[in-house]
Structure formats: structure tokens, C-alpha cells
Amino acid sequence: MGVCYERKGVLCALLLVFLSLLALSIADDAPPSAQVSPSAACNDTTDPTFCRTVLPPRGSSDLYTYGRFSVARSLDSAQRFAGLVDRYLARHRRLSSAAVGALRDCQLMSELNVDFLTAAGAALRTTDTMLDPQTDDVHTLLSAILTNQQTCFDGLQTASAAWSDRDGLAVPIANGTKLYSLSLSLFTRAWVPTAKPPKHGGSKNPHHGHGGGKKPPAAANRRGLFDAADDEMARRMAIEGPEMTVAVNGVVTVDQSGAGNYTTIGDAVAAAPTNLDGSTGYHVIYVPAGVYEENVVVPKHKKYIMMVGDGIGQTVITGNRSVVDGWTTFNSATFAVVGQGFVAMNITFQNTAGPSKHQAVAFRSGADLSAFYGCSFEAYQDTLYTHSLRQFYRGCHVYGTVDYVFGNAAVVFQDCTFFSRLPMAGQCNTVTAQGRSDPNQNTGTSIQGCSLVAAPELAAATAGYRTLTYLGRPWKNYSRTVVMESYVGELVDPTGWMPWSGDFALDTLFYAEYNNSGPGADTSRRVSWPGFHVLGSGVDAGNFTVTSMVLGDNWLPQTGVPFTRGFVTST
């Protein structure tokens, strides 16, 4: 720029500021393929100062190259952190049980992060110009990596009272989080369109919006649920209408009496094929009516499993783990699924620990492309942990008290009923506690065409007992929840939403309501937070439909679960 002489100092200084701002503006407006300096590439990331310590300090390149470089650095960091966690666990004999539990959660999270970054890096190496659904796939993986890191950190924080050594992991976790956030920032700048066209069309009939995505490829061993040789099995697995035909590559039965293929659900999951890709259909596990006292985990390599029961209240999977009894929130789940493509139908999942045991999860899903139809999730605090990735729930019941739908998935609920229960004295009910921690994550909770009502015990107590119920509160800084086209019962407080603590996240969260009905739907007395919105147009609300929020047109048809692409009511 040259040197400013003293007598021209003010003018020169102003000129330098102008030129600097102009350079920044040009860099920001430049296409991703344009050559920019590392410093300019860092301008719009979540932490520009940190970004400049990561990118190569010299030369210029395009955003695609910087994005790939950052993902490669993130993968190296994830691998090193996974090794560090393994070393801590190797000396677990001198660790508390709380520390071991938190570290095992971190071990799983770090393994998944290595898998996700490997997959993301491979996808980014193939092309500069990705289109949906590939762009959404990578965006989802990079979002989930931050969620996994946060889950590890939260668990270690909870265990800290019994374990001072966790401080040795604090710096690696913090540095990893900043690096993963940088990768997500650069990815969204380079590969994600800045203005996606609104995708809010499609069927408006809530019962017949069975989307039009690609069907699974034909295979020699493919058969439909309604084409099964065993007519009785086909009858039991029939859910709704002739459109519910699903590709199946095998069916096994769990029977506690020994008359089936397996006597426990856990054994049936363990014996399921490994790493199915969905092209030959689902491996179906039929669980007849009965009460199954099991804690079940569907691990990451057990993919495209479909579990079918005999109905809500008929097939019941139950457990009672809780944080008070020494489990992490993550591992308190009665049923947990990680394997991609999991589908559950006609099953009740319970955690019977009760409200006095605080966090006690009935079901946890960290399975991408997972879907649930005609299921019930029953507990008190932290009932349904929609942990990460893309999920869809249709015609389900969810019972709980505090934060009873929580997590950081991209998730849509349609035609579901949320039953707020009677909490402990002094507690409020909060339906959601969404955990989005980074502004570039494509996550959030969409409640569409649902009902939010009091459970029978709460309804019976209202005559002499006042329990405040709220639509949600912000678990993390960028918490995002939308309630739209739903019936909101009178139990919901007129303010609608509850703060987490003081003014935490009130200006960074995104909470919205659109076209709701019922005595609790009046928005005239809602909170006045900067992050709360009453959506006034279908275009805005359309971003939270199945088509936009989870790209459901691309994967839900093969699950057999009915869904509505766009709005469920006429607009």
C-alpha cells in the first residue's frame, strides 16, 4: 500500500481503511473458485483469528482447497484424540466409574468422528460442485462431528467432580471443536448455496403425502412386506395401506419362549448382517407382543435394520437406567441406535426410572436416515434423545416432563402427540431442549402437524396444581426449534418458551411458530427475545418441512413410512 507521510496521516489512514474494507468485500463476494489469500478466506468463519493459525500463511488458493485442507487437519486431530481417549481408558482401573462411563462415550464419539471425516474428505476430493443430496450428506456429517464433540465434553463435565484428570482432555477437546467448526464454516462457504430455493411444495394431505424419491434398486432377493411368503407375517407387519411396500432381504423373529429365531432383541441385533447398504432391502426383526426388559444398542456396523412390533402398549422394550444411578445421560438409554437406516414401527420404548432419577433416556438415535412410525417413547426427564444426523417421526407418542425431546439432529415430527406429564414439585415441563451449538450446523427440531397436550395424570391434577409447560428452552447457543401447523393445548404458558439461564442464547437461538391452532397457540403474549419469530409466510416455514429439513424425498420412500413433503394444511 506504500507509506503514509505524517502530514497526510489522517487521509492516508482513511484510505487504508477504505481499501482494506474493499478488499474484504471483494473476497466475500468472490466465487468459491476464485483465488483468495488465507486471511481473506478466514473472514467469514466462526473464528477468523483461529482460522489464520490453521491455513497455510503464504500464497493464495480457492475456498475448495482451503476446505479440503481444513477437513484433512480435522481428521488428523480426530485420530489423535481417539488415541488419547484409548490411552486414558487403558488405565481405567484407577478411574472412577463416572469417568469410565464418560470416556467410553468419548471413545464412541471419536470413532464416529474419524469415520465421518474420512467420508467427508473422500466426498470433497471428488468435485468442486456438489449437488443435493451429496452436499446435504457432507453438511450433515460435519454438523454431527461437532455434536459428537459436544457430547464428549458434556459427559466429562458431569464426571469432573469424581475425576480431576479430565482436565488433561480439556485443551484437545477445545482445539478439536474449533477445528471442526472451521471445517464446517469453510464447507458452507464453498459448497453450500448461499440462497437455496424454497422447497415447500408437495402434498398437503397429512395422510397421503407419501413422497416420490427414488425406489431401492431391484434385487434378486427383494420382496415386499405385503409379498412375504408367510401371509401371517405379512399381516402382522402391515401398517397402513398398499403403498407400504418395503424391500426386505430377510425376516427373523424374537420370541421369549424360544419359538422364534432368538429369545432376546439384543441377540437378534447381534446376529444381523453387517454393513448393509440398503440396496437389497432391510433386515427385519419382528418383535411380537410382550414386555422385553433389555437395554439394546444397535451399533454403527448394523445398518438398515427394521424392527417391527405389534403396536403401542403391545410390544414394550423397557429399562430403568438413570444419571442418579451412575449412568451418563448418553448411556442411560433403554434403546440406542447408531447404525444408519434404522426403522422402528409399532413399538413402545420405556425408561421407568421415574422423575426423581432426573435424566433417564427411553430412546436415543444417532442413526442417519432413521425413521419411526407408530411408536411410543415414555419416560420423564430426557425421554427422547434425537442426538444427531437426520431423523423422521410419524404418528408417534412422546411422554415426558423436563427437556423430553432433546439433542441436535435434523429432525421432523409429523402427526405425533407430545404428552407432558406431571413433574416433580417445583419443576416446569419443557417439551424441547434443542442443542445446536454452531451457526453453520444444518440441525434443528421441526414439530409439524402435531398435538401438544397434557398427559392424563397432568390433566387430572390441574384443578389444584399449576404446572408451567413451555415449548422449549435453549440447551446450546444456536438452539433451533419450530412448531408449525400443530395443535397447542391450554397447558402451554402464554409466554411459550423458557430461558435456560438468564439471557443465555436469547439473541442467537431461532425459535419460531407458524399457523398453529388451539388454546395455547396465541402468540400475542409470547417472549420478546431477539431469536423468537412468528413466521408470516409459507416460504420461511417451508425451510422446516420434510423436503427441506431432512431431504426426505430422497430416502423416506424406501422406509415405507408415510410422510408429507410440504405443508400438512392448505396455506
Side-chain angles (χ1 to χ4, degrees):
M1 293 278 184
V3 179
C4 289
Y5 296 101
E6 185 176 352
R7 63 190 176 90
K8 298 180 180 179
V10 174
L11 290 176
C12 264
L14 289 173
L15 179 62
L16 287 174
V17 169
F18 172 77
L19 292 174
S20 297
L21 291 173
L22 180 63
L24 291 177
S25 175
I26 292 172
D28 290 344
D29 292 338
S33 57
Q35 297 287 304
V36 295
S37 69
S39 181
C42 289
N43 287 333
D44 281 347
T45 61
T46 49
D47 189 341
T49 301
F50 174 76
C51 175
R52 293 182 182 107
T53 69
V54 174
L55 297 186
R58 296 182 180 84
S60 296
S61 193
D62 56 42
L63 289 179
Y64 299 120
T65 300
Y66 291 132
R68 293 185 184 102
F69 178 84
S70 177
V71 168
R73 286 285 303 272
S74 292
L75 176 58
D76 179 67
S77 174
Q79 290 169 331
R80 286 186 283 108
F81 183 71
L84 180 61
V85 172
D86 288 344
R87 289 194 292 276
Y88 269 86
L89 278 170
R91 58 177 194 262
H92 69 272
R93 289 183 180 179
R94 70 182 191 87
L95 296 175
S96 68
S97 59
V100 171
L103 282 168
R104 284 177 177 161
D105 291 349
C106 288
Q107 187 177 50
L108 173 60
M109 296 299 100
S110 59
E111 289 173 359
L112 290 173
N113 281 354
V114 170
D115 293 345
F116 293 171
L117 283 162
T118 299
L124 296 184
R125 285 194 296 271
T126 61
T127 180
D128 287 348
T129 55
M130 288 189 292
L131 300 174
D132 282 339
Q134 189 180 26
T135 302
D136 197 65
D137 290 344
V138 177
H139 199 174
T140 297
L141 292 176
L142 294 179
S143 296
I145 289 161
L146 277 167
T147 303
N148 291 341
Q149 192 81 343
Q150 186 70 56
T151 301
C152 171
F153 177 77
D154 287 346
L156 292 175
Q157 286 286 93
T158 302
S160 64
W163 181 43
S164 59
D165 281 357
R166 63 103 184 169
D167 290 337
L169 293 172
V171 171
I173 289 176
N175 289 340
T177 298
K178 289 192 287 187
L179 192 52
Y180 303 155
S181 179
L182 172 60
S183 293
L184 182 58
S185 291
L186 291 171
F187 170 79
T188 55
R189 284 193 65 192
W191 279 275
V192 178
T194 55
K196 288 187 177 181
K199 296 178 287 185
H200 58 279
S203 171
K204 295 178 181 179
N205 186 319
H207 302 295
H208 296 74
H210 190 68
K214 294 181 179 179
K215 294 182 178 180
N221 59 348
R222 174 181 172 176
R223 61 176 181 167
L225 293 183
F226 289 83
D227 304 326
D230 185 340
D231 290 338
E232 176 64 12
M233 176 66 74
R235 182 191 67 77
R236 289 174 175 174
M237 294 167 67
I239 310 298
E240 176 184 304
E243 78 278 6
M244 295 277 303
T245 300
V246 176
V248 173
N249 71 10
V251 178
V252 298
T253 301
V254 176
D255 191 307
Q256 293 172 313
S257 71
N261 302 97
Y262 304 96
T263 57
T264 70
I265 298 168
D267 286 345
V269 170
T274 297
N275 289 323
L276 293 176
D277 64 5
S279 63
T280 59
Y282 288 91
H283 177 76
V284 176
I285 299 174
Y286 171 54
V287 187
V291 177
Y292 299 80
E293 296 183 5
E294 297 187 51
N295 287 90
V296 180
V297 176
V298 180
K300 65 179 184 179
H301 57 281
K302 299 295 183 179
K303 301 178 181 180
Y304 292 94
I305 288 177
M306 177 178 287
M307 193 166 291
V308 181
D310 277 340
I312 291 175
Q314 299 299 307
T315 299
V316 179
I317 305 172
T318 185
N320 61 4
R321 292 177 178 175
S322 70
V323 168
V324 170
D325 287 336
W327 299 91
T328 63
T329 300
F330 188 81
N331 262 326
S332 69
T334 298
F335 197 109
V337 57
V338 183
Q340 178 174 306
F342 180 83
V343 178
M345 299 182 182
N346 294 351
I347 299 174
T348 291
F349 302 93
Q350 288 182 342
N351 189 313
T352 60
S356 65
K357 294 299 181 73
H358 298 286
Q359 296 94 333
V361 176
F363 193 96
R364 185 191 84 232
S365 178
D368 198 20
L369 312 180
S370 54
F372 307 87
Y373 183 43
C375 292
S376 186
F377 307 91
E378 302 173 5
Y380 289 86
Q381 183 172 345
D382 290 3
T383 301
L384 178 56
Y385 196 172
T386 55
H387 180 263
S388 55
L389 303 165
R390 292 165 290 193
Q391 306 177 27
F392 178 70
Y393 296 75
R394 174 78 176 213
C396 294
H397 296 169
V398 190
Y399 293 80
T401 54
V402 179
D403 305 338
Y404 65 93
V405 177
F406 75 112
N408 194 25
V411 55
V412 177
F413 293 87
Q414 279 185 353
D415 195 28
C416 294
T417 304
F418 298 84
F419 292 98
S420 292
R421 306 179 82 168
L422 188 65
M424 292 193 299
Q427 285 186 329
C428 295
N429 286 333
T430 43
V431 179
T432 65
Q434 206 281 329
R436 185 166 171 255
S437 62
D438 188 285
N440 290 306
Q441 288 177 306
N442 64 349
T443 55
T445 298
S446 175
I447 296 174
Q448 182 190 23
C450 296
S451 295
L452 296 92
V453 299
E457 69 268 27
L458 179 60
T462 54
Y465 187 96
R466 173 62 170 155
T467 295
L468 298 177
T469 298
Y470 299 90
L471 298 173
R473 60 178 182 153
W475 184 24
K476 303 297 179 186
N477 263 310
Y478 296 92
S479 182
R480 180 159 63 178
T481 301
V482 176
V483 180
M484 55 194 249
E485 302 181 293
S486 294
Y487 176 87
V488 182
E490 63 183 354
L491 77 161
V492 173
D493 188 81
T495 59
W497 306 82
M498 178 183 178
W500 185 271
S501 178
D503 61 356
F504 170 74
L506 301 188
D507 57 349
T508 52
L509 59 78
F510 183 92
Y511 285 168
E513 298 177 55
Y514 173 74
N515 199 24
N516 295 314
S517 62
D522 181 6
T523 58
S524 64
R525 296 170 58 190
R526 289 295 196 252
V527 294
S528 58
W529 307 339
F532 172 72
H533 309 272
V534 177
L535 300 181
S537 72
V539 173
D540 291 332
N543 294 322
F544 302 96
T545 60
V546 164
T547 292
S548 292
M549 191 75 184
V550 294
L551 260 64
D553 294 358
N554 292 289
W555 60 276
L556 277 172
Q558 79 177 63
T559 68
V561 176
F563 68 97
T564 302
R565 293 187 184 99
F567 296 118
V568 300
T569 58
S570 298
T571 56

